[in-house]
Amino acid sequence: MGEPEAGSEFAMRAAAAAGPMADAQYILPNDIGVFSLDCREAFRLLSPTERLYAHHLSRAAWYGGLAVLLQTSPEAPYIYALLSRLFRAQDPDQLRQLALAEGLTEEEYQAFLVYAAGIYSNMGNYKSFGDTKFVPNLPKEKLERVILGSKAARQHPEEVRSLWQTCGELMFSLEPRLRHLGLGKEGITTYFSGDCTMEDAKLAQDFLDSQNLSAYNTRLFKGVLEDGKPRYEVRLASVLGAEPALHSEMTSKLKSYEFRGSHFQVTRGDYAPILQKVVEHLEKAKAYAANSRQEQMLAQYIESFTQGSIEAHKRGSRFWIQDKGPIVESYIGFIESYRDPFGSRGEFEGFVAMVNKAMSAKFECLVASAEQLLKELPWPPAFEKDKFLTPDFTSLDVLTFSGSGIPAGINIPNYDDLRQTDGFKNVSLGNVLAVAYATQREKLTFLEEEDKDLYIRWKGPSFDVQVGLHELLGHGSGKLFVQDEKGAFNFDQETVINPETGEQIQSWYRSGETWDSKFSTIASSYEECRAESVGLYLCLNPQVLEIFGFEGADAEDVIYVNWLNMVRAGLLALEFYTPETSSWRQAHMQARFVILRVLLEAGEGLVTVAPTTGADGRPDARVRLDRDKIRPVGKPALERFLRKLQVLKSTGDVAGGRALYEGYAAVTDAPPECFLTLRDTVLLRKESRKLIVQPNTRLEGSEVQLLEYEASAAGLIRSFSERFPEDGPELEEVLTQLATADARFWRFPSENPSGQA
């Protein structure tokens, strides 16, 4: 196999530290909520052809999702390979007998199962929501005894020992740089080599813009030439590598460049063997496509993954947008840039889902009202798209969602040029929302007792409304002012006035610039904040609430709980703030904190956040929202804030946008809220994010079977053990070989370690 030898720098840099068990923010608790995605009925209603289409798309998604291990941390592929070998040889129940015989307690073995389930759920050893490392909550020596005494180790002693020696120390290490994902000294990331800094990332983005290349499917590796000049490798994800190929739109880009005194080399072939598997199943899915648009979409995705072309993925996305109301919906590729510390590179994800017709009918009504509702938003018409391109908006039950986590709703594609000219699709993931609604009263923190029953009753319905507005009219609204490569503007420079300054427009996007490339590190969170604010603002509209079936007192309760949920989320967000680096680790939670700050600033007692002492005698806090002041105080405050957000986004005013957004996102101990102190209380009472068990599909003859698993850590592990029945060992070999080939890029001198689990 392809692991580095024991004793390599890669494995040794964390070995010096020794100390107490990890604190709560770096472990997954034994009582973590585990839920199964229920899609049985939606799958039952599919025709045999639709099931075959869904099956092959699911296979493509699951194979592609393995790339996320290589996009997360240097050790993640080895941890995955080790766990997969372990549980393929012995299922969790069989391994339990060995663990107890080796001296583990029931609690320690459960902690190991929860850790393994967390690795599979997050596709790596960093939380997908918050980017914090998590480590096994049991002594390293005990875990070592289980691994080296396992059936897998007896069958393949050298391979299992080598995997453990490669990743065991890093699995447990909590030295400061390894606690969070980040760039340079701020954390670890495998989107960039370990010696890259934010300055390198900015230079690379400028280079990519100059060549009209997207960062979405790239990684950046830094080296030094003999003359001392920096050398950067921009590596594209593709099946094809350096081998001679027929001329395509990409081959002319694969060469050396000099740019601002640095040497850039554009190469391709990242994740090649994994993407080969993706392409094979997309080819098979084509045979079961419902129409020519789906066939053309898949053909372009295949071209994209084969050649490394984002332009081909854009063409595929155009066909996808045009494929209205399919029974089986899907999307696949390098999509969301939340986890790139610079905010430009996309994590691989793929989803396959079936339409939920009842909820989709409500969303169709919302779409029909969209043009009218857009006029309600608090910016001048010139700042809105010239034409609202009516999108698909469906509620879906997820069959497969590969990647590092599952969202509740999606608005895609993320390509600015397509969104402005071709449109987009909105997706609400109904069976994921059902998991999110599941709230136990005793675990409901920071609310007044009299609010809790109301919150539990209306959280689900209010979240449906918020997700619908957030995706359709949040992400779907607003215009970017652009000057194209020919010098033409998409707005009238003479007549369009900036409502914040009263002057003509002074800034805009040049050809090749995008929202992500221009606003980089704040782009994702700023946009989530804008979309969340639109949801809060428009949920006050009676027409919106009628569409979802709410009138009178019920409608008022939905509004109240939606706003209450947002301000509570703003407090919960403090879990995802790192005081040591003054940085946020999760885009949506940063956005919710910013909204909390805006509503606190509105004053007049609209929102209060106050420390208190809980019934258990430990520090606690209470969030209060005055429902009578939502319209007279809250709405005008949101109106002013939303207008500023949109104007700064439309005009590409990065300096103004950063000043506004980072100002609200600053976490201090200034009274009266004293947020830094409150953060300790939030950490004390935090509830871990739920784990979700997904089904598998299996082809038996010409029929597709749905395989479901119990809602437990063991069930989640079994789902992964059965996910790659034909080629599991081969995939583990591929992952470790790919990781080993690049391991040199993350060898850096160990800093003062201050703790190991």
Side-chain angles (χ1 to χ4, degrees):
M1 293 186 72
E3 300 84 4
E5 70 284 1
S8 70
E9 291 174 73
F10 177 79
M12 288 175 64
R13 67 166 185 253
M21 297 296 288
D23 71 32
Q25 56 180 315
Y26 302 112
I27 60 162
L28 303 178
N30 279 12
D31 64 351
I32 193 168
V34 186
F35 293 80
S36 289
L37 268 193
D38 181 10
C39 63
R40 187 183 311 165
E41 182 62 14
F43 185 79
R44 187 184 67 79
L45 295 172
L46 297 181
S47 71
T49 301
E50 289 162 351
R51 289 185 184 187
L52 284 161
Y53 183 64
H55 168 71
H56 287 297
L57 289 176
S58 291
R59 300 311 298 152
W62 285 125
Y63 280 117
L66 295 172
V68 177
L69 293 159
L70 296 156
Q71 292 181 301
T72 300
S73 71
E75 66 274 14
Y78 301 101
I79 298 173
Y80 173 90
L82 179 62
L83 294 174
S84 297
R85 281 186 171 257
L86 219 56
F87 290 114
R88 191 167 48 251
Q90 292 169 283
D91 79 12
D93 288 342
Q94 294 168 333
L95 197 61
R96 177 175 169 273
Q97 301 308 316
L98 168 73
L100 297 181
E102 289 288 355
L104 273 71
T105 64
E106 289 279 6
E107 290 74 21
E108 287 168 339
Y109 183 63
Q110 179 62 19
F112 171 53
L113 292 186
V114 166
Y115 175 77
I119 294 292
Y120 290 134
S121 273
N122 294 278
M123 269 290 104
N125 55 334
Y126 287 76
K127 296 176 189 173
S128 65
F129 201 84
D131 295 344
T132 305
K133 188 173 186 177
F134 59 96
V135 300
N137 190 26
L138 70 158
K140 180 169 173 281
E141 309 72 47
K142 287 193 171 185
L143 180 55
E144 182 173 44
R145 289 209 297 271
V146 173
I147 288 168
L148 298 184
S150 68
K151 186 176 178 181
R154 293 197 301 274
Q155 291 172 338
H156 302 282
E158 288 183 20
E159 287 95 330
V160 171
R161 183 173 290 277
S162 178
L163 283 168
W164 174 246
Q165 287 175 332
T166 301
C167 68
E169 296 292 348
L170 286 166
M171 190 188 282
F172 281 82
S173 174
L174 284 173
E175 69 172 83
R177 184 175 176 178
L178 303 181
R179 291 175 187 171
H180 307 288
L181 296 180
L183 194 52
K185 293 180 179 177
E186 302 296 316
I188 191 75
T189 176
T190 46
Y191 284 114
F192 299 86
S193 55
D195 53 354
C196 281
T197 63
M198 195 58 77
E199 287 65 40
D200 294 314
K202 288 172 183 168
L203 177 66
Q205 186 64 57
D206 289 347
F207 164 73
L208 290 166
D209 289 345
S210 75
Q211 298 303 317
N212 208 20
L213 274 170
S214 170
Y216 269 117
N217 64 340
T218 69
R219 292 198 288 168
L220 186 71
F221 301 95
K222 184 180 178 183
V224 182
L225 295 172
E226 288 181 7
D227 62 4
K229 280 186 181 178
R231 174 193 180 275
Y232 299 95
E233 178 194 358
V234 174
R235 191 189 300 168
L236 311 178
S238 67
V239 175
L240 293 176
E243 64 272 15
L246 294 172
H247 180 76
S248 73
E249 62 192 343
M250 295 311 299
T251 49
S252 62
K253 304 277 191 184
L254 302 173
K255 60 183 183 183
S256 298
Y257 302 80
E258 290 297 321
F259 183 78
R260 296 189 192 163
S262 294
H263 180 82
F264 279 83
Q265 180 85 33
V266 178
T267 67
R268 67 179 175 185
D270 217 0
Y271 326 119
I274 292 170
L275 292 177
Q276 178 64 47
K277 300 272 190 184
V278 174
V279 164
E280 286 169 10
H281 280 280
L282 292 179
E283 284 283 8
K284 290 177 180 176
K286 256 170 69 180
Y288 305 105
N291 54 53
S292 62
R293 285 200 178 104
Q294 289 181 358
E295 288 174 17
Q296 290 169 296
M297 168 188 87
L298 293 174
Q300 292 298 330
Y301 292 164
I302 290 165
E303 173 78 1
S304 172
F305 299 141
T306 302
Q307 300 286 349
S309 167
I310 289 295
E311 288 304 314
H313 197 269
K314 285 184 180 180
R315 291 192 293 271
S317 298
R318 282 196 177 92
F319 288 119
W320 179 72
I321 293 165
Q322 294 162 16
D323 184 30
K324 303 280 188 187
I327 301 297
V328 176
E329 184 61 284
S330 68
Y331 198 60
I332 190 167
F334 297 90
I335 312 299
E336 301 292 355
S337 57
Y338 300 124
R339 300 182 92 196
D340 169 14
F342 188 71
S344 293
R345 286 151 191 81
E347 184 173 83
F348 193 97
E349 70 178 43
F351 78 83
V352 185
M354 294 83 67
V355 173
N356 176 321
K357 291 181 179 174
M359 183 56 83
S360 294
K362 294 179 182 178
F363 289 142
E364 283 169 22
C365 292
L366 190 64
V367 170
S369 307
E371 286 195 80
Q372 194 57 42
L373 291 169
L374 282 171
K375 295 173 184 173
E376 305 282 322
L377 292 172
W379 49 77
F383 287 74
E384 194 46 70
K385 293 187 182 77
D386 302 332
K387 184 178 188 304
F388 181 71
L389 300 154
T390 306
D392 236 13
F393 197 166
T394 47
S395 176
L396 304 174
D397 284 338
V398 170
L399 170 66
T400 296
F401 206 115
S402 75
S404 67
I406 312 180
I410 319 170
N411 175 287
I412 37 181
N414 287 330
Y415 306 120
D416 290 331
D417 47 351
L418 263 66
R419 296 172 66 79
Q420 300 282 321
T421 58
D422 295 77
F424 51 87
K425 280 187 182 181
N426 295 279
V427 171
S428 175
L429 303 176
N431 55 348
V432 179
L433 284 168
V435 170
Y437 299 159
T439 304
Q440 295 173 279
R441 196 180 196 280
E442 60 272 19
K443 289 190 174 182
L444 202 47
T445 51
F446 308 130
L447 293 181
E448 296 285 10
E449 284 301 315
E450 59 265 28
D451 279 334
K452 287 185 178 180
D453 291 333
L454 202 65
Y455 183 91
I456 288 169
R457 181 180 174 190
W458 292 108
K459 183 191 175 188
S462 72
F463 203 34
D464 282 335
V465 174
Q466 179 68 11
V467 168
L469 293 171
H470 171 115
E471 301 296 349
L472 176 66
L473 297 161
H475 292 315
S477 64
K479 177 175 179 172
L480 301 184
F481 294 156
V482 178
Q483 181 183 24
D484 66 22
E485 65 277 3
K486 295 173 184 171
F489 291 88
N490 70 342
F491 65 99
D492 188 330
Q493 284 184 285
E494 298 299 319
T495 60
V496 177
I497 299 298
N498 182 327
E500 295 296 310
T501 64
E503 299 172 356
Q504 291 178 327
I505 303 304
Q506 304 292 320
S507 57
W508 48 83
Y509 296 79
R510 265 73 178 181
S511 175
E513 290 183 330
T514 66
W515 163 249
D516 278 338
S517 71
K518 207 165 169 61
F519 280 72
S520 65
T521 52
I522 66 163
S524 291
S525 185
Y526 186 114
E527 175 58 14
E528 293 304 331
C529 186
R530 196 181 68 87
E532 291 282 49
S533 299
V534 166
L536 283 190
Y537 187 76
L538 288 179
C539 82
L540 298 170
N541 186 305
Q543 181 189 355
V544 167
L545 295 167
E546 282 175 28
I547 288 169
F548 285 89
F550 306 119
E551 296 179 344
D554 285 354
E556 291 303 308
D557 284 344
V558 167
I559 291 168
Y560 176 63
V561 170
N562 196 32
W563 280 60
L564 181 64
N565 188 40
M566 187 63 70
V567 295
R568 176 176 179 259
L571 178 61
L572 295 177
L574 290 168
E575 175 191 341
F576 302 93
Y577 177 77
T578 305
E580 293 82 3
T581 56
S582 302
S583 61
W584 285 91
R585 306 187 311 277
Q586 215 293 319
H588 298 79
M589 298 310 282
Q590 179 181 4
R592 291 158 189 162
F593 178 76
V594 166
I595 292 170
L596 171 61
R597 289 282 315 277
V598 169
L599 297 179
L600 283 166
E601 184 183 78
E604 299 186 45
L606 170 68
V607 175
T608 56
V609 181
T612 182
T613 301
D616 57 4
R618 299 189 302 170
D620 206 341
R622 287 291 174 269
V623 174
R624 299 180 183 88
L625 170 70
D626 187 334
R627 66 191 299 162
D628 295 328
K629 291 180 179 172
I630 290 174
R631 283 187 176 87
V633 180
K635 186 180 179 184
L638 260 190
E639 188 171 304
R640 292 187 296 273
F641 179 60
L642 252 179
R643 183 164 51 244
K644 287 178 185 171
L645 284 178
Q646 183 56 50
V647 167
L648 293 164
K649 180 181 179 183
S650 289
T651 57
D653 182 352
V654 180
R658 279 194 178 278
L660 175 75
Y661 199 68
E662 290 174 348
Y664 280 116
V667 179
T668 71
D669 241 351
E673 287 82 26
C674 305
F675 282 119
L676 274 178
T677 300
L678 274 178
R679 179 179 175 273
D680 294 333
T681 303
V682 170
L683 288 174
L684 180 69
R685 298 189 177 275
K686 77 184 182 76
E687 184 183 359
S688 291
R689 198 167 173 81
K690 302 175 180 88
L691 302 180
I692 296 180
V693 183
Q694 298 187 55
N696 285 318
T697 55
R698 185 168 65 204
L699 193 56
E700 295 181 356
S702 60
E703 290 191 3
V704 179
Q705 303 297 324
L706 184 71
L707 306 178
E708 297 175 285
Y709 303 88
E710 68 176 30
S712 67
L716 202 159
I717 290 165
R718 287 189 185 99
S719 74
F720 266 89
S721 294
E722 296 181 13
R723 194 141 282 157
F724 304 105
E726 306 91 4
D727 51 8
E730 175 199 333
L731 292 170
E732 291 144 31
E733 181 106 16
V734 161
L735 285 164
T736 54
Q737 285 174 348
L738 291 174
T740 301
D742 288 329
R744 67 190 186 280
F745 289 117
W746 293 283
R747 289 179 183 152
F748 43 77
S750 186
E751 295 145 43
N752 287 328
S754 66
Q756 177 173 338

